[in-house]
Amino acid sequence: MTGPLAGGVLDWQQHFASLAANTSNGYLAAYYAAGMVSSDTPISQVPMAALDIETTGLDSRHDAIVSVGMVPFSLARIRCQDAFYQVINPLSELNAGSIAFHRITHSEVDEAPALDRLIPELLRAMAGRVIVVHYRHIEREFLNAAFRHYLNDGFQFPVIDTMEIEAGLHPRQRAGWRRWFTRENTESIRLGDSRTRYGLPHYQSHHALTDALATAELLQAQIATHFSADMAVGDLWK
Amino acid sequence: MQVELLEIRNHLARFPPFDTLDEDVLDGIASQIEISYFRAGTQILEFEEDISELHYVRSGAVEIYRRNGELYNRLTEGDIFGHFGLLRTRKVRFPAKAIEDSLIYLIPDAVFTRLCESHDDFADFVEAEGLSRLQTAVERQTKSNELSKIKVRKLISRLPVTTFSNATIQEAAQIMTSQSVSSLLIMDPNAPSYEPFSGPQPGMTGILTDRDFRTRMVAEGLPAQTLVSEVMSPNPITVQADDTVFEAMLCMLRNNIHHLPVLHRHRPIGVINLSDIIKYESQSSLYLVNSIFNKQSIAGLAALLPDVRATYLRMVQDEASAQMIGGAISSIGRNFSQRLLELAEQELGPPPVPYCFMALGSMARDEQLVVTDQDNALILDDSFVPEQHDDYFLQLATLVSDGLAACGYTYCKGGIMATNPKWRQPLRVWKNYFSQWIKQPNPETLLNACIFFDLDSVHGEASLVDSLRNLLVDEASRNEPFLASLARNALNRTPPLGFFRTFVMEKDGEQNNVINLKRRGTAPLTDLIRVHALACGSKAQNSYDRLDAIAATKLMPPEALVRLRYALEFLSIVRIRHQAADLEMGREPDNNIEPEKVPPAERHNLKEAFQVLSNAQKFLRYRYPSLQSSRTL
């Protein structure tokens, strides 16, 4: 199987060109046609956007998106001016357990638009940018599922995953007995814990925009600490 | 669509100058911010590069340098930098470097400019060199104190009631009774341009009060036909109509008088009395003074210690300025000494030769705080013969010194007390001391100079202190080498650079846990003000009065003097507040301040005050360049 979801190195620039040619949806066509940087572009030159979605659960087949936060940035600057945040009406009963978790109330959701109304704006904001997330499967799968539902078309986009970068820097120990024996700790690669390692401040988590901001800052810190501003985006994205 | 960036807004809201802004303004700022992460060791701003954003430290730590590489400041969470450049040339004036991994918020120039234009507090805060920031802080914290704002004129309810000095005391008593007044201003019948009943008059020669009838007339058995001129207090102490109620209060405290004629230029326009002021004065230090003079024993005086402390705390709570508190506490200290001397004279009999008991140091400057040791000395008339008279004065000095110690004014560790024979001498010996110290300064006498050259009469023949002051000013102001030595001495104690987290930061980057605000702040400041005041030939003792005297000579630029005034006031009030907090907690007050107890806004202002002191020390070094050679020794 070839394609972005299979992982591995992929030329997203070329892939976008073919996706643009093959989609029947006008919004998606415009999004893909806006293009993508080539995989050898230095990370310092890449337009990015940190994205976070909060959902009613973890399974994209049954659960829905309740809020989206996004903030565009580059390696040098995070631009709050163009930050995007929207509560979304999932058009299904909110799971009571997740309400406190996301700090979103029923009344906020009732007044919120459904996701399909936001798709044009979301696509415009994402166009030309590499998306940065912490744990890529949530954002990618939920958006893909939502687009299939509303537009009858899948949604593919390149993603840099700060959690995966962190996991690569702190490989989990191979065997339990060895960890026990050597008393080595497994570093947590959760967003808040990862940030702490770079001296980044503690933020209140589970607000989509705050988490997106937190993710953008984390990527800046990771590159500044472990990599180079010249590294190719192709070595980071999936 | 403006989205709420809660983490950013809530953080800004905690730190000056953003803490004074409304939430919607903060939301507006947050939505314009850009964010950047800097690794430890990364240069954030290079000297002279273009700058178009205000920088705000969200986390981490940043060092700011002068062009010559000297450390200017070390910043952390909630601090801002880059505003000097933004306000002026739009080039970086102080380079900045991350010393820890740091997250920096960047606030665009346009937002910064708009904030400066529409929010005075914000503009004051970022204003270069912090003059108006300190000024605002000082004015805000004393704003609510009415005593320092209201003019004496407002207290006057009627024209003064007067009579001539050639009237009889019976006539005077009749006027006072018919007019229902407790005091009468006495006019000179021969004064020019006197017109009866035509309002305020020049030519006041004295004042007569209810009390004078009791103490001077009835007690002495004088007949009713005695002339007023024989019973009145001649040349009464007065205030000007434009003086503040606070100044009038100090004047009453200082002189223990209850009636104060108010003048417009030279004409009396009214009289205010104790009760007029007490209406404005909740801290009742005037009542305390009354109590002091009513006590008949040292034990009685010592029992007033809790009242002194309560008065001090009330003044701090009423947001009196440091200048007001220093003045009131010094007056109370003087009153204790005066009463002790009266009691001592009752016990020992009248003095064999005239003398003057003088206060030195902070009491002489009217800058005494609540916990202090005693610095005093006796100047004796030149007719003093040690073998015949010194027994008396030793006993007098001992009674007063022990009494003061009982009242909470601890013995001077350096032995600067009238009980020390060296400091209980006739005027000619004192003159010799002063001349020697001025002509041949050495480290010990320079230390003496810093204490003895702030001197004031407390009791006795004030003229003895006056002649010593005259000599001091005559000789010191013309003696450049002496002034240079005194200047060098004033540079021995330097301020720190500021605070960094829970530390006091020194100029060499060292960090300490605690700062002595007297040693590192107010003391070097009063030291350098003394040097300039002596150089100007001023006889003023109070540091604020000295600054006025320096201003009159154009020795220093006016802005520099205004800065010194605010710095002194701010450093003093912080010291006073910390001592008040100690008293309230039942701790013995000291001058040590732990940085973690200093709130963010106060940190900024203290840093500015230290900077003012540091610049003033630089000026002093420049003014007395002979220091350069001695420094290389």
Side-chain angles (χ1 to χ4, degrees), chain A residues 76-81 83 85-86 198-204 209-210 213 217 220-221 224-225, chain B residues 1 3-8 30-37 39 53 58-60 101 103 105-106:
Chain A
R77 292 297 178 89
I78 298 165
R79 284 174 57 82
C80 295
Q81 191 171 3
Y85 176 72
Q86 186 62 58
Y198 298 93
L200 289 167
H202 172 76
Y203 285 171
Q204 186 90 50
L209 182 54
T210 303
L213 187 62
E217 290 169 2
Q220 284 190 336
T225 307
Chain B
M1 178 184 65
V3 297
E4 279 190 320
L5 291 138
L6 297 168
E7 288 290 345
I8 299 176
S31 71
Q32 299 288 311
I33 274 177
E34 301 201 354
I35 304 171
S36 205
Y37 179 89
R39 278 274 284 163
E53 286 149 327
R58 174 58 181 83
S59 64
D101 296 342
L103 192 65
Y105 290 169
L106 304 132

Side-chain angles (χ1 to χ4, degrees), chain B residues 431-443:
Chain B
K431 284 183 168 170
N432 195 31
Y433 285 166
F434 276 35
S435 293
Q436 278 302 310
W437 296 349
I438 292 165
K439 283 180 192 128
Q440 290 168 328
N442 65 45

Side-chain angles (χ1 to χ4, degrees), chain B residues 376-404:
Chain B
N376 53 56
L378 275 173
I379 312 178
L380 309 166
D381 187 82
D382 278 336
S383 59
F384 170 77
V385 179
E387 297 74 29
Q388 290 172 24
H389 305 138
D390 196 42
D391 257 4
Y392 176 93
F393 289 110
L394 174 58
Q395 287 185 62
L396 184 87
T398 307
L399 281 170
V400 175
S401 184
D402 291 351
L404 284 172

Side-chain angles (χ1 to χ4, degrees), chain B residues 419-578:
Chain B
T419 48
N420 185 339
K422 199 175 170 188
W423 311 132
R424 191 174 68 244
Q425 291 291 338
L427 180 61
R428 63 173 182 281
V429 175
W430 278 110
K431 284 183 168 170
N432 195 31
Y433 285 166
F434 276 35
S435 293
Q436 278 302 310
W437 296 349
I438 292 165
K439 283 180 192 128
Q440 290 168 328
N442 65 45
E444 189 194 334
T445 64
L446 283 167
L447 215 59
N448 287 343
C450 288
I451 300 165
F452 286 88
F453 289 3
D454 300 340
L455 70 168
D456 199 16
S457 156
V458 169
H459 186 78
E461 285 297 322
S463 61
L464 293 170
V465 168
D466 289 342
S467 50
L468 203 49
R469 267 192 203 163
N470 291 341
L471 172 135
L472 165 63
V473 166
D474 279 356
E475 296 197 5
S477 63
R478 279 177 287 148
N479 192 321
E480 198 75 3
F482 168 73
L483 291 172
S485 304
L486 200 62
R488 176 173 51 212
N489 206 59
L491 297 172
N492 282 344
R493 296 180 287 192
T494 55
L497 200 50
F499 300 101
F500 178 71
R501 295 192 178 133
T502 59
F503 301 104
V504 178
M505 207 192 22
E506 302 297 343
K507 286 180 180 141
D508 57 4
E510 280 281 303
Q511 296 179 350
N512 290 316
N513 294 318
V514 70
I515 175 178
N516 185 311
L517 211 51
K518 181 182 179 188
R519 200 174 301 141
R520 307 294 303 282
T522 52
L525 200 46
T526 40
D527 282 351
L528 76 86
I529 292 170
R530 182 186 304 106
V531 177
H532 290 308
L534 283 175
C536 295
S538 164
K539 287 178 195 160
Q541 304 296 307
N542 180 261
S543 295
Y544 300 96
D545 294 344
R546 283 173 169 171
L547 287 172
D548 288 340
I550 299 164
T553 64
K554 314 260 187 291
L555 174 79
M556 288 172 85
E559 322 82 73
L561 290 164
V562 173
R563 266 180 214 134
L564 284 178
R565 180 179 298 274
Y566 284 119
L568 179 61
E569 173 63 33
F570 192 78
L571 291 168
S572 305
I573 200 73
V574 172
R575 222 182 122 199
I576 285 169
R577 290 227 198 98
H578 281 262

Side-chain angles (χ1 to χ4, degrees), chain B residues 315-333:
Chain B
M315 289 190 84
V316 174
Q317 279 154 14
D318 288 352
E319 302 187 299
S321 68
Q323 191 179 6
M324 291 167 75
I325 294 171
I329 295 299
S330 301
S331 289
I332 290 166

